[in-house]
Amino acid sequence: MNAEQLYEQLKKFQESKGYFFNKDKEMVMALLDSLLVNKERYGYMACPCRLASGDYHKDKDILCPCEYRSKDVEEYGACFCGLYVSEAWNNEAIPHETVPERRDPARVLAGLGIED
Amino acid sequence: MKHDVKLYALSTCIHCKNTRQFLDDNDTDYDCCYVDKLEGEERVKVIEEIKKLNPNLSFPTLCIGDKVIVGYKKDEIKEALDA
């Protein structure tokens, strides 16, 4: 699968749920390429903007679309990566802020086998 | 070069890519560490380093001298480079 096919595969379904691809298509394609890199690396599409452990169960919360997307889109209009956004975000009806990391850093450490 | 600049990044992360581009556009010399490409003890060591700078362990984490900037924030980066 290439990024263009992934784009087509995801677009309709995600839009039906109220999540839109960022209108910056170049950025979206780069992120989709990165998702495919992670699929190749880990066997699953871990969030490209977070450090995955390589252990599926420990990375479950950051499989794209991640667990944090709904809250981030609700609060900031965009997910942490900026792959998925709200309609208002794409229409520039809301400000485009940097979305802070919502994931508990203890999960990053646990994924790497480091005690907090 | 006024400051030591170090970037902790992920090779797949778009905000990290944009940060690199911004530093390049501003003719900044910097050291970039792709944490997703590290393994084992080396990765643990770098994570411990990042933890001290950014307890959220998110990327990009950029150090410009003593200033730590988390996320791709052009204005803050520019200000720190010019300081």
Side-chain angles (χ1 to χ4, degrees):
Chain A
M1 188 187 298
N2 62 32
E4 197 61 55
Q5 288 165 324
L6 186 58
Y7 182 91
E8 291 306 324
Q9 189 186 314
L10 293 170
K11 190 173 189 287
K12 208 172 161 191
F13 177 65
Q14 294 300 337
E15 282 186 359
S16 74
K17 292 169 61 173
Y19 297 104
F20 296 82
F21 278 134
N22 196 308
K23 64 179 177 176
D24 182 345
K25 181 101 188 257
E26 199 186 326
M27 174 183 173
V28 168
M29 297 319 280
L31 283 167
L32 294 178
D33 270 332
S34 289
L35 281 174
L36 293 171
V37 167
N38 280 351
K39 179 129 198 287
E40 189 70 32
R41 263 187 193 168
Y42 307 119
Y44 46 88
M45 289 194 235
C47 173
C49 300
R50 292 180 166 110
L51 183 63
S53 69
D55 177 323
Y56 175 83
H57 294 285
K58 290 177 178 164
D59 290 341
K60 240 179 160 173
D61 60 316
I62 54 166
L63 299 191
C64 185
C66 69
E67 254 183 51
Y68 312 99
R69 179 182 69 165
S70 58
K71 277 193 178 169
D72 284 341
V73 172
E74 191 185 320
E75 191 172 342
Y76 301 101
C79 72
F80 181 64
C81 279
L83 177 64
Y84 290 109
V85 301
S86 66
E87 217 167 6
W89 196 96
N90 263 347
N91 292 334
E92 312 219 9
I94 54 170
H96 293 180
E97 288 172 44
T98 302
V99 179
E101 174 60 300
R102 196 182 284 276
R103 190 186 197 210
D104 183 346
R107 297 187 81 147
V108 181
L109 296 174
L112 302 179
I114 306 170
E115 294 282 326
D116 197 1
Chain B
M1 197 63 217
K2 286 197 285 185
H3 310 283
D4 281 334
V5 181
K6 176 146 190 174
L7 176 65
Y8 296 93
L10 301 175
S11 65
T12 50
C13 166
I14 194 78
H15 308 303
C16 301
K17 192 179 162 194
N18 289 336
T19 302
R20 290 198 68 163
Q21 185 67 53
F22 188 75
L23 292 172
D24 290 340
D25 290 347
N26 282 278
D27 298 321
T28 307
D29 283 327
Y30 60 97
D31 178 25
C32 175
C33 175
Y34 279 136
V35 184
D36 59 321
K37 293 196 168 177
L38 302 177
E39 286 176 17
E41 275 181 35
E42 199 184 356
R43 185 166 65 172
V44 171
K45 189 174 148 265
V46 171
I47 287 291
E48 296 290 358
E49 264 173 50
I50 301 171
K51 201 175 151 191
K52 288 181 196 143
L53 304 163
N54 167 18
N56 262 336
L57 292 172
S58 58
F59 298 91
T61 296
L62 176 65
C63 301
I64 301 175
D66 295 336
K67 173 94 176 154
V68 179
I69 300 166
V70 175
Y72 175 47
K73 293 172 186 151
K74 279 193 278 189
D75 295 347
E76 284 187 34
I77 297 171
K78 189 85 181 86
E79 194 181 316
L81 289 175
D82 293 342

